Amino acid sequence: MLLGIDVGGTHTDAVLVGAEGLLAWAKAKTNRTDLLSSIREVLGRIVPEAGAGRISRLNLSTTLSTNAIVEGLTEPVGVFVVSGPGIDPAAYSIGEHYRVIPGCTDHRGRITSHLDLAAAREHAGACRRAGVSVYACVGKFSPRNTDFEETLKELVHPQADFVTLGHEFSGQLGFGRRVHTAAFNAAVWRVFNRFADAVQRCAVSLGMSARVNILKADGGTMPLSMSRMFPVESILSGPAASVMGIMAVCDIQEDSVILDIGGTTTDIALFADGAPLTSPEGAVISGRPTLVRALKTRSIGIGGDSAISLVDGQVRVGPRRLGPAMCEGGQTPTLTDALNVLGAADLGDTAASRRGLNELAAKHNTDGPTLAQDAALAAVTSIRAAVIDLTRSVNDRPVYTIYELLEGKRVTPKRVYVMGGPARAMSGLLAEAFPEEVFVPESYAVANAIGAALSRPTLSAELFADTQRGRMLIPGLDVEESVNGSYKLEQAEADAARHLRGYLEHLRIPDPDALVETVEAQSFNMVEDDMLVGRSIRVKCQIRPGVLPGYRKAVGCRC
């Protein structure tokens, strides 16, 4: 059996899925200051019912890394940047301990100016005196020569708890994205690892021996052990769980809109020809572009617990969340309270909802039902506007899906799928706002946790080959082989895929439908004295994200 947990901003959902379908589910309020307590609560309800020994895998979607970055709760990072000419490194400055170290590697990976070790030692000393203990070292063109980054790591290692190197994330050339990715990864390392430690202790205390995975931004999962080194990969796993959830429970074949309406936010995603769209360059976090592969999603501050306010006579919903709805003991009227007053929902103390809306309305010379109607209209109007804006931005550039690049494709949604706690209550209002058909699947309340549970492991492998030296290696799989001078990129792609499939078999991960895709491929000619002396080849492949087909049949419904 598979266990999936989605830690949202308002609720933490857990589901247990077996070959027969959805076997059990639990929902708890998310304790934003102690996420583990929420996880422990839902595990405590699910695991005894299932039997700890029968659960083979736990997939976890968490907002921890995203929230830490967005809310400024990360620790300071000592950032060492080696840029070289032709670029202004100040444009990528991040944090208070950012320093450019003189030195230069050209686009061929050749060192044209040696690293200024004195400047590096000076910055390391300043960071040590400031109490900094996590670091990011990033060099321009580092995927083609890692020497500078490795040297800086060795320099700061004695005073560091953790060091991130820019070349570890991607072979793509994107210096600014690499700087941001490495800095964010170091910034959330400690808070994420404390969380991971606690999750493992909790699982052991309940007698579980299941493999624990973290949902990534691209909709795949990675082992918890791997996520400890690359916690930035867990950003945006909440929206990814929404996308994977709708893929699990509905057989989508056309252009569609996905809305996951939670307590704090509404996550929006688009499908083209039945496949979710991706962000090909990488996710954007707090306005900074990164190299983190991600599904194309957008979040807005509209949810069931979004506060209702009036500003200059205009009714607004969100983006603030000032606690739970009044029907659940809160002090401020929310969207959920408005839905109660309208009769679209019947949650908690509906009298408290009416009282709260009436009191707020009286202060602005209106009545409770009218205010509730205006609030609901404001919410769906904001959601509709965000969908239009996202669709327009997607259609202004090439469309990438999780499967392929669709040349010349324009996304024209035919259906809107709605999930999340308020989905059923909002469906009628959304149907009036959207010209497309609005559909709410049966498992709308826990679809995101189902998506987390069924997301396919997307293990990856990176191959490096140097035909001049006659060597090919895949460090993560402990593979090293000899190659000849005619070794080409196509052979490297085939070798990387073959060894990754072999590794899956070694791990005994049963997934016969898993497809290996190449996500990065580069072949760089090495020239000496105007003669080609070899090729430097780098290939990264991974299991394509998706949901496990056998379980998908069990949880699917007619959509």
Side-chain angles (χ1 to χ4, degrees):
M1 292 185 290
L2 308 180
L3 181 58
I5 298 178
D6 177 70
V7 183
T10 303
H11 291 99
T12 295
D13 299 327
V15 297
L16 185 69
V17 180
E20 317 91 297
L22 181 60
L23 303 178
W25 64 275
K27 185 182 288 283
K29 285 287 188 181
T30 296
N31 184 337
R32 294 171 67 88
T33 61
D34 183 7
L35 295 182
L36 184 68
S37 66
S38 305
I39 293 174
R40 188 183 295 113
E41 182 176 349
V42 292
L43 281 177
R45 298 182 196 174
I46 292 272
V47 174
E49 183 175 342
R54 300 177 63 198
I55 300 173
S56 61
R57 194 177 72 182
L58 165 60
N59 283 355
L60 182 65
S61 165
T62 172
T63 61
L64 182 69
S65 296
T66 307
N67 288 349
I69 293 171
V70 172
E71 296 173 12
L73 300 178
T74 57
E75 64 181 296
V77 179
V79 183
F80 292 73
V81 170
V82 188
S83 66
I87 194 168
D88 180 9
Y92 310 119
S93 179
I94 181 169
E96 299 179 1
H97 305 281
Y98 181 95
R99 175 77 178 269
V100 179
I101 309 299
C104 182
T105 300
D106 69 12
H107 67 284
R108 295 183 177 184
R110 299 177 303 185
I111 295 175
T112 59
S113 176
H114 291 291
L115 188 66
D116 188 338
L117 290 176
R121 292 190 186 98
E122 180 185 339
H123 185 46
C127 289
R128 183 179 62 253
R129 291 188 293 274
V132 176
S133 57
V134 293
Y135 296 87
C137 305
V138 186
K140 189 179 179 184
F141 298 120
S142 62
R144 295 176 180 173
N145 187 335
T146 65
D147 285 356
F148 284 170
E149 292 184 354
E150 297 288 355
T151 298
L152 290 168
K153 179 179 181 178
E154 185 178 347
L155 186 148
V156 301
H157 187 268
Q159 67 190 54
D161 292 337
F162 179 68
V163 184
T164 287
L165 302 184
H167 75 271
E168 295 173 329
F169 296 95
S170 173
Q172 297 181 32
L173 296 182
F175 183 52
R177 289 179 178 272
R178 184 171 293 105
V179 171
H180 299 152
T181 306
F184 283 143
N185 194 64
V188 301
W189 171 79
R190 195 181 312 276
V191 66
F192 183 88
N193 273 268
R194 286 173 177 166
F195 176 74
D197 288 341
V199 168
Q200 287 191 311
R201 287 196 301 268
C202 181
V204 170
S205 70
L206 292 170
M208 295 176 61
S209 58
R211 182 183 291 112
V212 181
N213 299 317
I214 295 294
L215 191 66
K216 300 188 298 178
D218 67 357
T221 67
M222 62 178 170
L224 184 65
S225 57
M226 184 181 297
S227 70
R228 288 177 174 276
M229 297 299 292
F230 302 102
V232 73
E233 295 281 358
S234 70
I235 63 164
L236 304 178
S237 68
S242 306
V243 172
M244 306 314 288
I246 208 69
M247 288 180 66
V249 302
C250 291
D251 184 18
I252 301 177
Q253 300 291 332
E254 56 196 354
D255 294 0
S256 304
V257 175
I258 311 303
L259 301 178
D260 183 4
I261 307 174
T264 306
T265 63
T266 292
D267 297 329
I268 306 169
L270 295 177
F271 277 53
D273 295 342
L277 300 185
T278 66
S279 297
E281 300 93 353
V284 176
I285 314 171
S286 285
R288 295 181 182 270
T290 73
L291 289 170
V292 177
R293 286 170 53 85
L295 297 171
K296 184 75 172 180
T297 61
R298 181 171 296 180
S299 297
I300 62 172
I302 299 288
D305 287 348
S306 294
I308 298 173
S309 60
L310 285 91
V311 180
D312 297 329
Q314 293 292 112
V315 178
R316 296 182 181 178
V317 177
R320 296 181 304 163
R321 178 185 182 274
L322 302 177
M326 293 189 71
C327 62
E328 294 189 316
Q331 302 299 312
T332 304
T334 69
L335 177 59
T336 295
D337 292 311
L339 295 173
N340 273 347
V341 170
L342 294 175
D346 184 16
L347 181 65
D349 183 357
T350 56
S353 294
R354 288 192 294 272
R355 182 175 64 254
L357 267 295
N358 285 334
E359 290 176 354
L360 180 60
K363 297 177 182 178
H364 297 274
N365 300 317
T366 184
D367 58 84
T370 300
L371 178 57
Q373 184 66 47
D374 289 344
L377 178 61
V380 297
T381 300
S382 295
I383 293 172
R384 172 67 175 153
V387 169
I388 292 173
D389 185 63
L390 177 60
T391 305
R392 183 182 296 115
S393 68
V394 164
N395 285 332
D396 285 344
R397 57 193 315 175
V399 176
Y400 290 79
T401 73
I402 200 171
Y403 303 119
E404 61 187 338
L405 166 65
L406 302 179
E407 293 284 1
K409 166 72 178 179
R410 291 188 62 81
V411 177
T412 307
K414 304 293 192 301
R415 214 173 199 191
V416 178
Y417 293 86
V418 191
M419 53 197 285
R424 185 71 71 190
M426 294 280 290
S427 60
L429 297 164
L430 292 168
E432 295 177 1
F434 282 84
E436 300 84 8
E437 179 185 9
V438 174
F439 184 83
V440 180
E442 295 175 7
S443 51
Y444 67 91
V446 291
N448 44 9
I450 294 174
L454 269 59
S455 291
R456 171 179 281 126
T458 52
L459 300 178
S460 62
E462 287 190 86
L463 178 150
F464 302 89
D466 185 330
T467 63
Q468 184 181 23
R469 301 174 62 187
R471 192 171 69 131
M472 179 274 282
L473 65 156
I474 308 176
L477 305 185
D478 197 25
V479 171
E480 183 170 354
E481 298 177 357
S482 298
V483 296
N484 58 37
S486 63
Y487 191 73
K488 291 184 171 56
L489 184 63
E490 294 78 11
Q491 294 169 273
E493 293 185 65
D495 284 345
R498 174 171 57 85
H499 283 291
L500 182 56
R501 290 193 185 95
Y503 184 59
L504 280 177
E505 294 175 5
H506 171 71
L507 293 178
R508 297 181 180 177
I509 297 178
D511 189 2
D513 296 305
L515 297 175
V516 177
E517 62 177 348
T518 299
V519 294
E520 296 176 17
Q522 295 179 342
S523 179
F524 182 72
N525 290 336
M526 294 182 288
V527 178
E528 293 181 4
D529 298 326
D530 297 326
M531 293 185 62
L532 177 66
V533 296
R535 297 182 184 85
S536 176
I537 298 173
R538 181 184 182 279
V539 170
K540 182 176 182 179
C541 65
Q542 73 167 26
I543 305 302
R544 177 180 291 170
V547 293
L548 298 173
Y551 292 93
R552 181 179 184 178
K553 294 177 183 177
V555 300
C557 62
R558 188 176 63 83
C559 296

